[in-house]
């Protein structure tokens, strides 16, 4: 069982939108992601989606347009654990992430505090994470389907895992984006939140494509020609949880 877990981790390190802020290429600009993971009443999730589309979307879209944030999105659970919805936003700095949290929350409350409060009824519990994007394809429009891997890692070796991702594994993921098989991929480190220490994501046009690419990468990272660092990576981050998400709303 442990072997299967490790192989799956390697395959999913191909994955959301995330490179270093110092890069001059604007399409590679990343930053910090503030993500709220909701647990919801499945019979009323349509209400949460309606709130996101009709109340949140105009405010978040305007925040992207005026430079308050770099991107945002709303994603719905397809397959995976207990989280049912994600609301995320991307900022260029950690300070900007915190400033945007208050600025946008104030606008949402001013627009319709009653409707905003209904989200807490439909989705009564949540977890907040702040992620720092380490490497990836950058802030760009993603495919309709997203695959996220939430990793538990040895905190003493996490920086080494980041190095392996940047120097060894990233070129493989970039290859699939360059070929048009993946729409985006990214890898982020934990700043604030729960037990997960690293996040790996990828997106494509549909889940069949994602699972096909995942299989190809498993083969490349576990075969005779696989880089030795791949085994080192899963020794550092050897536990994980997988999610498949429908990207319902987003603006890069």
């Amino acid at each position: 069982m442990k072997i299967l877990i490790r192989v799956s981790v390697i395959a999913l390190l191909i994955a959301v939108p995330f490179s270093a802020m110092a890069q001059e290429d604007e399409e590679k600009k990343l930053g910090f992601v503030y993500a709220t993971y909701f647990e919801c009443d499945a019979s009323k999730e349509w209400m949460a989606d309606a709130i996101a589309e009709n109340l949140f979307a105009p405010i978040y879209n305007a925040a992207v347009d005026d430079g308050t944030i770099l991107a945002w999105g709303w994603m719905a659970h397809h397959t995976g654990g207990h989280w049912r919805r994600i609301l995320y936003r991307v900022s260029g700095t950690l300070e900007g992430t915190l400033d945007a949290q208050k600025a946008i929350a104030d606008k949402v409350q001013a627009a319709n505090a009653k409707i905003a409060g209904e989200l807490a009824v439909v989705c009564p519990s949540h977890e907040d994470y702040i992620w720092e994007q380490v490497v990836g394809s950058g802030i760009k429009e993603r495919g309709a389907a997203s695959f996220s891997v939430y990793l538990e890692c040895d905190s003493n070796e996490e920086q080494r895992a980041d190095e392996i991702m940047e120097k060894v594994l990233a070129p493989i993921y970039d290859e699939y984006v360059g070929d048009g098989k993946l729409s985006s991929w990214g890898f982020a480190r934990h700043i604030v939140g729960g037990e997960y220490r690293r996040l790996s994501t990828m997106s494509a046009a549909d889940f069949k494509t994602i699972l096909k690419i995942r299989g190809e990468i498993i083969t490349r990272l576990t075969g005779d020609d696989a880089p030795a660092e791949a085994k080192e990576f899963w020794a550092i981050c050897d536990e994980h949880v997988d999610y498949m998400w429908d990207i319902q709303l987003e603006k890069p």
Side-chain angles (χ1 to χ4, degrees), residues 81-201:
H82 57 277
W83 292 332
R84 301 295 301 179
R85 293 295 186 274
I86 304 175
L87 174 64
Y88 76 86
R89 63 176 177 273
V90 184
S91 299
T93 65
L94 182 57
E95 293 79 6
T97 297
L98 301 177
D99 291 341
Q101 178 187 22
K102 183 179 187 308
I104 294 174
D106 288 347
K107 290 181 179 180
V108 168
Q109 290 297 311
N112 198 321
K114 182 178 179 180
I115 294 299
E118 289 297 316
L119 182 61
V121 177
V122 178
C123 303
S125 62
H126 70 273
E127 295 183 57
D128 295 319
Y129 276 78
I130 298 178
W131 303 101
E132 181 182 7
Q133 301 175 358
V134 176
V135 66
S137 56
I139 297 170
K140 56 187 294 184
E141 185 174 352
R142 299 190 288 158
S146 178
F147 205 128
S148 296
V149 186
Y150 301 90
L151 298 155
E152 296 183 37
C153 308
D154 180 348
S155 60
N156 295 317
E157 299 292 337
E158 289 174 339
Q159 290 188 348
R160 175 56 181 159
D162 295 345
E163 291 175 1
I164 295 171
M165 175 57 65
E166 291 186 79
K167 297 177 181 178
V168 179
L169 304 182
I172 297 175
Y173 312 147
D174 284 338
E175 176 185 327
Y176 282 92
V177 172
D179 289 345
K181 296 176 181 178
L182 290 178
S183 300
S184 67
W185 77 277
F187 183 76
R189 65 167 64 96
H190 172 280
I191 298 296
V192 175
E195 72 272 27
Y196 299 115
R197 301 296 302 175
R198 294 296 185 270
L199 168 61
S200 179
T201 70

Side-chain angles (χ1 to χ4, degrees), residues 7 11 19 21 23 30 35 37 59 70 75 105 118 150 153 159 162 192-193 199 223:
V7 168
S19 167
M21 285 302 297
Q23 287 182 311
L30 297 171
Y37 301 89
I59 294 171
L70 299 176
M75 302 197 294
E118 289 297 316
Y150 301 90
C153 308
Q159 290 188 348
D162 295 345
V192 175
L199 168 61

